[in-house]
């Protein structure tokens, strides 16, 4: 291997290790088991070569936003042991592709999308794990179902045999101060707890996907089980 590659892998290793350490410290501070938080390395716009290096550097789960881009990466890297999560906005006409690639879809936000994913998963006889994306602040530019309608969607998904609900995801409004985001993380956790208390059959509610480069430690303090970090690992995107 070229020494240039080795240098890049080493630097990815250092960054991933540092993020993992910060996750562990945030979890311990919150009296949580650090192994209850998983790092999703967000690789949208990042090349196959750099993802390959990130896998060598120890990254295990990759988050992708665009279906076609993810398909290319998935087939180029299928020999390696990586797990793929879909974290972007999902259109129904892409459902048949995503069920073939992704272990977890973070962004289900309507009954129609859930129905189509269920239909496509049934065709390949797969139980597709999903999260419901909640738009807590009602931002028009963002996907996600309203907190008020979340219970309805949970109940709907609980009737779909080829979907396995695991929890909730959110993309809160952007602030450059993590403390300003904390109320949204807390709100998602409370919504999750409320739904958990309803003991709805055939669903799980253990996962909370929240927190990115600027605020993942705060998210961990508020209960995140999946943090989605791109920039802090790969640097700023083009
Ligand atoms: C891009 C993206 C991220 C990662 O954001 P960074 O600030 O680069 O860590 C996380 N979640 C979603 C849904 C994204 O689209």
């Amino acid at each position: 291997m070229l020494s240039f590659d080795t240098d890049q892998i080493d630097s990815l290793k250092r960054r991933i290790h540092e993020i993992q350490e910060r996750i562990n410290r945030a979890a311990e501070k919150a009296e949580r088991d650090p192994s209850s938080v998983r790092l999703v390395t967000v690789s949208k716009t990042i090349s196959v070569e750099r993802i390959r290096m990130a896998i060598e550097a120890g990254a295990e789960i990759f988050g992708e936003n665009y279906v076609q881009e993810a398909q290319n990466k998935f087939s180029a890297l299928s020999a390696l042991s990586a797990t793929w999560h879909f974290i972007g906005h999902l259109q129904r006409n892409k459902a048949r592709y995503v069920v073939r690639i992704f272990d977890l879809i973070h962004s289900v936000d309507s009954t129609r999308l859930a129905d189509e994913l269920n239909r496509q998963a049934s065709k390949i006889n797969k139980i597709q794990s999903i999260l419901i994306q909640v738009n807590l602040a009602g931002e028009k530019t963002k996907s996600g179902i309203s907190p008020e309608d979340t219970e309805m969607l949970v109940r709907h998904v609980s009737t779909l045999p080829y979907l396995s609900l695991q929890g909730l995801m959110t993309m809160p409004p952007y602030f450059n101060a993590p403390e300003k985001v904390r109320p949204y993380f807390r709100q998602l956790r409370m919504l999750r707890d409320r739904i958990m208390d309803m003991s709805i059959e055939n669903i799980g509610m253990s996962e909370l996907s929240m927190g990115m480069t600027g605020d993942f430690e705060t998210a961990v303090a508020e209960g995140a089980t999946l943090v989605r970090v791109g920039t802090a690992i790969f640097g700023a995107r083009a």
Side-chain angles (χ1 to χ4, degrees):
M1 190 178 290
L2 300 170
S3 63
F4 172 72
D5 286 1
T6 316
D7 287 352
Q8 284 205 46
I9 293 168
D10 283 348
S11 106
L12 283 168
K13 233 179 227 162
R14 268 197 307 279
R15 288 183 190 185
I16 292 167
H17 181 75
E18 189 209 307
I19 302 294
Q20 198 60 62
E21 285 295 303
R22 287 170 60 188
I23 290 171
N24 294 352
R25 277 199 299 274
E28 277 159 11
K29 216 170 135 195
E31 300 185 346
R32 298 184 55 204
D33 177 0
S35 71
S36 66
V37 187
R38 289 183 292 162
L39 171 61
V40 178
T41 299
V42 174
S43 48
K44 62 175 174 235
T45 78
I46 304 300
S47 69
V48 166
E49 280 322 304
R50 292 201 75 209
I51 297 175
R52 193 192 304 277
M53 291 177 190
I55 296 170
E56 287 206 33
E60 293 169 348
I61 307 172
F62 291 90
E64 287 282 337
N65 294 57
Y66 310 105
V67 176
Q68 199 180 343
E69 182 185 327
Q71 278 178 304
N72 296 337
K73 292 172 178 177
F74 179 77
S75 53
L77 296 165
S78 61
L80 304 178
S81 70
T83 295
W84 301 86
H85 287 192
F86 190 78
I87 63 172
H89 174 64
L90 181 55
Q91 288 165 322
R92 266 181 308 146
N93 61 6
K94 301 282 168 61
R96 59 192 292 247
Y97 306 112
V98 295
V99 299
R100 286 167 169 76
I101 297 178
F102 295 99
D103 282 339
L104 183 64
I105 299 168
H106 291 227
S107 47
V108 177
D109 63 358
S110 71
T111 55
R112 293 171 77 205
L113 176 59
D115 287 343
E116 182 61 11
L117 287 167
N118 181 65
R119 198 168 77 86
Q120 295 298 342
S122 79
K123 284 199 205 164
I124 58 169
N125 205 23
K126 175 192 187 186
I127 306 291
Q128 175 69 59
S129 290
I130 64 158
L131 305 176
I132 288 176
Q133 180 174 357
V134 185
N135 186 343
L136 293 167
E139 292 172 282
K140 296 258 187 319
T141 55
K142 285 191 182 142
S143 323
I145 194 159
S146 71
E148 296 74 28
D149 291 337
T150 302
E151 181 191 343
M152 174 278 297
L153 183 53
V154 170
R155 289 190 187 278
H156 183 78
V157 170
S158 76
T159 68
L160 301 176
Y162 291 92
L163 295 188
S164 170
L165 181 61
Q166 309 282 323
L168 305 178
M169 177 273 215
T170 199
M171 247 328 241
Y174 178 78
F175 293 106
N176 55 12
E179 279 313 311
K180 295 197 172 149
V181 194
R182 186 187 292 271
Y184 294 98
F185 294 149
R186 186 166 296 171
Q187 209 184 321
L188 193 74
R189 171 166 51 86
M190 289 169 67
L191 180 59
R192 188 276 306 268
D193 291 348
R194 216 157 55 234
I195 292 170
M196 225 177 201
D197 286 345
M198 296 172 186
S199 304
I200 299 167
E201 297 211 4
N202 303 317
I203 63 148
M205 268 288 138
S206 57
E207 303 284 357
L208 282 178
S209 169
M210 54 190 198
M212 319 198 303
T213 288
D215 52 27
F216 67 87
E217 286 149 308
T218 308
V220 169
E222 294 297 332
T225 63
L226 291 158
V227 294
R228 311 179 306 264
V229 179
T231 307
I233 292 170
F234 290 115
R237 286 176 293 273

